[in-house]
Amino acid sequence: MIKKIGVLTSGGDAPGMNAVIRGIVITGKQLGIEIFGIKDGFLGLYKNKIKKLKVSKVFDIINKGGTFLGSSRFPQFKKKKKRLIAIKNLQKRNIDALIIIGGDGSYAGAQKLNEMGISCISIPSTIDNDVVGTDYTIGYYTALETIVQSIDKIRDTSASHNRISIVEIMGRNCGDLTLLSSIASGCEFLVIPETKKSKEKLLVEIKKRIKKRKKHFVIAITENLYDIKFLAKYIEKKTNRETRATILGYIQRGGTPVVYDRILASRMAHYAVEILKDGFSGKCIGIKKEKIIHTDIKKSLKNKKKNSTRYWLNLSKKLF
Ligand code: ADP
């Protein structure tokens, strides 16, 4: 019977992580389980930064971006020696289980701990929506909202000056944020990892669009595909049209979580504590067709995300 659960947020932060922590602490109290907050992800677990979380600590955090527990990248956690120290820190307090909130890197850490005898449940929270086993990750919809609002603003000035604007959007290797934000903000052109092409080919397509459409337009591109400042100069030179590049960057990761993320966070948090209490471990929580589910972390790490990129791409082409 689980009596004490530790919770940590790990990897890239995402709006809604605080709402998850709140849901865990409140559910824990209702079920008579003590909840311990671990600072700064796996680094804090290794450094023994563990403290009991009172319900009063989470009263006012459902609407706050970021994670009040802090997060970190701690690649040394891949070493068994470091994980053994982390496990000792849990054992000193008789903490039987962990809930790990983060992306697939954090899932890998959770799986390793699970194999070493600590019951782990992971909850998908990253803006990138690149985790297997769930239709959506917590933070994704908030990031979409932020991106769309930013592109709306860029479009205003782009129109005033008759410029081409290139917007670089975070998402690691996943184009979901670029695709859906482009549709929602009416971008005239987009490039995601699946549609990457040489700058010469890109130019040919952009020129076609210039001929067909209005004078100004917005191009959305997923990060890590081009040097977009250089690309803007290239397009400006070849089209003789003023072109500006904007990198949205970390602005996408902050801000008040939107309602969808708060609800998703609360549902997943509640479910995670309940299944730990029921004796499950090594599971990751997901949402599929609006239902909260769990699958094996191991399976989620092995599989590739089946996404609906083709559908969104087709739709985006039809809507330009
Ligand atoms: P995210 O969870 O957002 O994908 P990372 O990929 O940076 O972010 O992973 C978060 C953390 O998870 C890493 O900094 C590290 O501490 C831990 N981690 C990642 N991969 C492993 C692994 N193979 N074994 C143990 N811990 C890992």
Side-chain angles (χ1 to χ4, degrees), residues 106-117:
S106 306
Y107 275 33
Q111 176 57 23
K112 291 268 172 67
L113 286 174
N114 202 66
E115 283 163 10
M116 293 166 81

Side-chain angles (χ1 to χ4, degrees), residues 264-279:
L264 185 61
S266 304
R267 290 179 75 188
M268 287 187 169
H270 182 75
Y271 188 87
V273 179
E274 286 215 310
I275 66 165
L276 262 180
K277 187 182 147 258
D278 290 343

Side-chain angles (χ1 to χ4, degrees), residues 10-12 42 72-75 77-78 102-106 108-109 112 172:
S10 164
F42 292 119
S72 67
R73 311 260 186 206
F74 181 48
F77 204 65
K78 289 177 186 164
D104 52 4
S106 306
K112 291 268 172 67
R172 279 215 249 186

Side-chain angles (χ1 to χ4, degrees), residues 256-294:
T256 302
V258 296
V259 172
Y260 185 84
D261 281 329
R262 297 184 200 193
I263 305 267
L264 185 61
S266 304
R267 290 179 75 188
M268 287 187 169
H270 182 75
Y271 188 87
V273 179
E274 286 215 310
I275 66 165
L276 262 180
K277 187 182 147 258
D278 290 343
F280 287 92
S281 66
K283 304 288 178 191
C284 50
I285 313 294
I287 182 161
K288 290 269 175 177
K289 298 190 173 135
E290 292 313 312
K291 197 169 174 285
I292 303 295
I293 53 141
H294 64 265

Side-chain angles (χ1 to χ4, degrees), residues 55-75:
V55 177
S56 59
K57 226 13 204 160
V58 300
F59 279 159
D60 300 316
I61 63 168
I62 197 162
N63 56 340
K64 301 261 186 334
T67 159
F68 89 98
L69 282 179
S71 188
S72 67
R73 311 260 186 206
F74 181 48

Side-chain angles (χ1 to χ4, degrees), residues 90-285:
L90 291 173
Q91 286 166 343
K92 271 188 242 164
R93 292 176 176 81
N94 294 321
I95 297 175
D96 333 276
L98 277 181
I99 299 179
I100 286 147
I101 307 161
D104 52 4
S106 306
Y107 275 33
Q111 176 57 23
K112 291 268 172 67
L113 286 174
N114 202 66
E115 283 163 10
M116 293 166 81
I118 302 291
S119 299
C120 289
I121 300 286
S122 53
I123 294 185
S125 186
T126 159
I127 63 164
D128 301 334
N129 205 34
D130 58 352
V131 177
V132 180
T134 187
D135 290 340
Y136 302 113
T137 54
I138 297 159
Y140 172 61
Y141 267 102
T142 304
L144 272 179
E145 193 65 46
T146 305
I147 297 164
V148 169
Q149 283 179 17
S150 307
I151 295 178
D152 288 350
K153 292 182 176 106
I154 289 167
R155 181 178 291 285
D156 287 347
T157 167
S158 190
S160 307
H161 290 268
N162 258 327
R163 277 182 188 141
I164 297 172
S165 291
I166 305 178
V167 185
E168 184 181 281
I169 295 169
M170 267 188 183
R172 279 215 249 186
N173 305 314
C174 182
D176 282 18
L177 281 173
T178 306
L179 257 179
L180 271 86
S181 64
S182 295
I183 291 170
S185 58
C187 283
E188 281 75 9
F189 198 75
L190 69 89
V191 190
I192 59 171
E194 290 85 345
T195 62
K196 188 188 174 181
K197 40 187 79 68
S198 68
K199 66 180 191 324
E200 291 78 14
K201 281 192 178 152
L202 204 63
L203 181 69
V204 173
E205 295 201 20
I206 289 168
K207 278 185 169 167
K208 275 190 212 156
R209 289 277 157 94
I210 292 176
K211 259 192 200 157
K212 249 189 180 169
R213 285 279 182 106
K214 44 196 165 181
K215 289 182 182 165
H216 64 273
F217 66 86
V218 183
I219 304 169
I221 301 184
T222 308
E223 67 178 341
N224 301 325
L225 297 181
Y226 306 93
D227 174 340
I228 70 153
K229 298 238 155 132
F230 173 80
L231 187 66
K233 279 191 189 131
Y234 172 76
I235 291 171
E236 182 166 283
K237 197 170 151 210
K238 296 287 181 185
T239 59
N240 211 18
R241 295 280 309 280
E242 244 189 329
T243 306
R244 293 284 185 272
T246 306
I247 298 171
L248 294 186
Y250 287 94
I251 204 162
Q252 287 179 213
R253 291 248 290 262
T256 302
V258 296
V259 172
Y260 185 84
D261 281 329
R262 297 184 200 193
I263 305 267
L264 185 61
S266 304
R267 290 179 75 188
M268 287 187 169
H270 182 75
Y271 188 87
V273 179
E274 286 215 310
I275 66 165
L276 262 180
K277 187 182 147 258
D278 290 343
F280 287 92
S281 66
K283 304 288 178 191
C284 50
I285 313 294

Side-chain angles (χ1 to χ4, degrees), residues 6-8 36-50 74 76-98 100 109-110 112-114 116-120:
V7 55
L8 62 86
F36 289 77
I38 299 156
K39 291 288 283 176
D40 307 332
F42 292 119
L43 176 67
L45 186 56
Y46 166 71
K47 287 199 164 172
N48 201 18
K49 291 194 198 163
I50 306 171
F74 181 48
Q76 296 91 324
F77 204 65
K78 289 177 186 164
K79 293 195 178 126
K80 194 169 181 186
K81 251 179 24 196
K82 303 279 178 195
R83 293 198 300 276
L84 281 170
I85 293 170
I87 288 174
K88 274 204 182 124
N89 292 334
L90 291 173
Q91 286 166 343
K92 271 188 242 164
R93 292 176 176 81
N94 294 321
I95 297 175
D96 333 276
L98 277 181
I100 286 147
K112 291 268 172 67
L113 286 174
N114 202 66
M116 293 166 81
I118 302 291
S119 299
C120 289

